[in-house]
Amino acid sequence: MSTATVLVVNSGSSSIKYQLVDPVVGTAVASGIVERIGEDSATLKHTSGDTTVEREQPIGDHGEGLRAVLGLFEEVGPDLTSAGVVAVGHRVVHGGSVFSTPVLVDDDVVAQIDALSPLAPLHNPANVTGIRVARELLPDVPHVVVFDTAFFHGLPPASATYAIDRDVAREHGVRRYGFHGTSHHFVAHEAARVLDRHVEDLATIVLHLGNGASASAVLGGKAVDTSMGMTPLEGLVMGTRSGDLDPAVLIHLQRNAGMSVDDVDDLLNRRSGLKGLAGENDLRAIHQLVADGDEDARVALEVYAHRLKKYIGAYLAVLGRLDVLVFTAGVGENDDEVRAAACAGLEGLGIALDPERNAGRKKAPTIISADWSRTTVLVVPTNEELAIARQALEVTEGAGLSRDDADPAAVGHA
Ligand code: AMP
């Protein structure tokens, strides 16, 4: 472990995920999760080295949750003072049109994130709560916010703009913001590093395929298009989200099927995607259903792969060429069948996998294309926590709050 660590915090509406990251060595020193905050009984899991502690206890709110986490650091380790925590990095989902880079937290920043809540009603209020309690409990370390949208802040108007009435769009912030930006940025840069190329020289497509899924087109290290839009609902078929569909479907369901706005929200965000098509959102379960002869699951896989292929083709056209295609996140890293289905038949576009290289789960960056493929296809495991930790460290160093200036003894918690 090097001398500086960053505590990365990801607050959901009823959960707190955290990792104590060594941003130089690139490893997690400790990690954990508090779930079901506010319910009868919450669960806590904390891992430090080889030790994992799991608990169940009532946790009323995020303040109590974070206090419990700090208690676990004291009890199980590592001790936060000797771990040299130089910053707390908070993941924030929506930075709107306001935030294009990670920033040091102050009261104004918190208020601005809160004001963006209408754009991400499920996420930003939870992020704000997490930041508030963390600042109260860890007042002596700088806090930095890293936005999921930031990498896409500079999207060209051609890809960021929806073709609707410009006044309505401006008044209500209706444009494409993009999400998973921390992962897309990390993976695009990591792919260039692995290939010993400069990211500035590359045209890259990143496919972040997790339970949520998104694609991005990256030219010279900058995002020029991405599949998620004003919210994380647009684009690819996901675990429980529909991705792209005719907007008139919403009008139809509300006019003719007696569905309310909330019903439609629930349908498209939680009862669609693979879950809607096949009853399961996990690709492992879908493959099992297909093996058992389930026709709906087979079609679900086809719809999933077809959408991926459409985005690969579209972004190849947007970029004008394709040097690198990268798969990442839970599905992208682990599911060789999905990777093969997404690339099947694309040889004419210069994309050809090597079946042996593609086979199996990938825990490290791996080239999976054939030698003769014009595009190099890779799997690069994403690591959003490490990316957040590194960005938080950069911001604190840039603000003159480097380790040399910090008083390590002051890193205790209130
Ligand atoms: P993430 O959101 O990145 O954590 O990805 C979670 C998703 O990854 C799960 O819902 C599964 O669909 C997928 N996944 C995880 N492990 C595997 C695996 N071994 N094979 C296929 N898919 C997997």
Side-chain angles (χ1 to χ4, degrees):
M1 189 167 82
S2 50
T3 49
T5 57
V6 175
L7 181 63
V8 177
V9 179
N10 183 356
S11 309
S13 54
S14 64
S15 67
I16 303 172
K17 274 191 230 160
Y18 60 93
Q19 258 192 31
L20 185 65
V21 178
D22 182 330
V24 179
V25 178
T27 51
V29 182
S31 62
I33 184 164
V34 186
E35 287 177 290
R36 302 212 300 269
I37 294 172
E39 294 182 26
D40 289 348
S41 185
T43 53
L44 293 99
K45 186 173 177 185
H46 178 88
T47 302
S48 168
D50 296 336
T51 312
T52 296
V53 174
E54 292 188 55
R55 299 254 163 88
E56 281 202 26
Q57 66 191 67
I59 290 188
D61 55 31
H62 282 72
E64 247 181 77
L66 196 58
R67 233 172 263 120
V69 169
L70 296 176
L72 284 166
F73 271 107
E74 252 169 39
E75 186 187 324
V76 185
D79 174 65
L80 284 181
T81 306
S82 50
V85 181
V86 289
V88 181
H90 295 270
R91 179 181 184 192
V92 174
V93 166
H94 219 308
S97 301
V98 183
F99 296 103
S100 58
T101 54
V103 289
L104 210 53
V105 176
D106 60 22
D107 292 345
D108 275 353
V109 167
V110 178
Q112 280 174 305
I113 297 169
D114 208 12
L116 290 166
S117 291
L119 291 174
L122 294 179
H123 297 102
N124 273 36
N127 297 155
V128 165
T129 308
I131 296 165
R132 286 205 171 114
V133 300
R135 286 179 82 204
E136 272 165 39
L137 294 174
L138 297 163
D140 299 317
V141 256
H143 292 245
V144 176
V145 277
V146 178
F147 297 92
D148 242 23
T149 47
F151 184 48
F152 301 116
H153 188 267
L155 281 184
S159 67
T161 311
Y162 289 118
I164 63 166
D165 182 301
R166 60 197 164 182
D167 297 329
V168 174
R170 279 184 199 133
E171 188 181 342
H172 297 284
V174 179
R175 48 155 288 184
R176 311 186 64 252
Y177 296 98
F179 297 88
H180 291 150
T182 307
S183 176
H184 284 276
H185 176 262
F186 177 83
V187 166
H189 282 77
E190 192 65 6
R193 191 188 64 74
V194 168
L195 296 173
D196 204 15
R197 298 283 305 273
H198 295 293
V199 77
E200 293 77 18
D201 299 333
L202 296 175
T204 306
I205 294 176
V206 178
L207 299 174
H208 174 111
L209 310 179
N211 200 28
S214 58
S216 69
V218 182
L219 193 59
K222 295 202 169 26
V224 292
D225 209 343
T226 192
S227 61
M228 284 179 166
M230 183 176 119
T231 76
L233 182 56
E234 191 179 346
L236 301 175
V237 177
M238 310 184 211
T240 65
R241 285 173 245 165
S242 62
D244 295 335
L245 87 168
D246 180 346
V249 170
L250 280 76
I251 301 166
H252 172 74
L253 292 176
Q254 290 179 68
R255 265 201 197 129
N256 302 312
M259 293 179 91
S260 66
V261 171
D262 287 343
D263 292 338
V264 174
D265 182 352
D266 183 53
L267 173 75
L268 299 183
N269 277 300
R270 285 173 283 277
R271 294 196 288 127
S272 294
L274 294 171
K275 178 93 177 163
L277 291 169
E280 296 281 355
N281 63 307
D282 192 306
L283 256 308
R284 289 165 288 197
I286 302 272
H287 289 307
Q288 189 56 53
L289 286 171
V290 174
D292 296 342
D294 188 301
E295 182 60 13
D296 287 344
R298 196 184 60 74
V299 172
L301 261 188
E302 281 185 10
V303 175
Y304 188 93
H306 181 76
R307 186 81 52 88
L308 277 173
K309 226 179 247 189
K310 274 173 61 167
Y311 270 92
I312 294 171
Y315 286 175
L316 202 155
V318 166
L319 291 165
R321 66 174 211 273
L322 185 60
D323 302 309
V324 183
L325 171 65
V326 202
F327 288 89
T328 193
V331 181
E333 293 163 27
N334 294 306
D335 196 326
D336 47 9
E337 286 185 52
V338 163
R339 294 192 298 255
C343 297
L346 301 187
E347 295 80 3
L349 300 180
I351 300 167
L353 294 192
D354 176 312
E356 274 178 31
R357 289 177 185 164
N358 180 45
R361 302 171 64 187
K362 310 293 178 202
K363 296 279 162 220
T366 310
I367 294 175
I368 58 170
S369 45
D371 290 335
W372 54 272
S373 179
R374 198 162 59 227
T375 297
T376 306
V377 187
L378 295 114
V379 178
V380 174
T382 193
N383 192 337
E384 287 171 281
E385 287 79 12
L386 176 59
I388 291 172
R390 286 189 173 151
Q391 293 184 46
L393 189 64
E394 264 174 41
V395 170
T396 51
E397 284 178 349
L401 297 167
S402 68
R403 183 100 193 99
D404 299 340
D405 308 322
D407 171 7
V411 180
H413 56 86

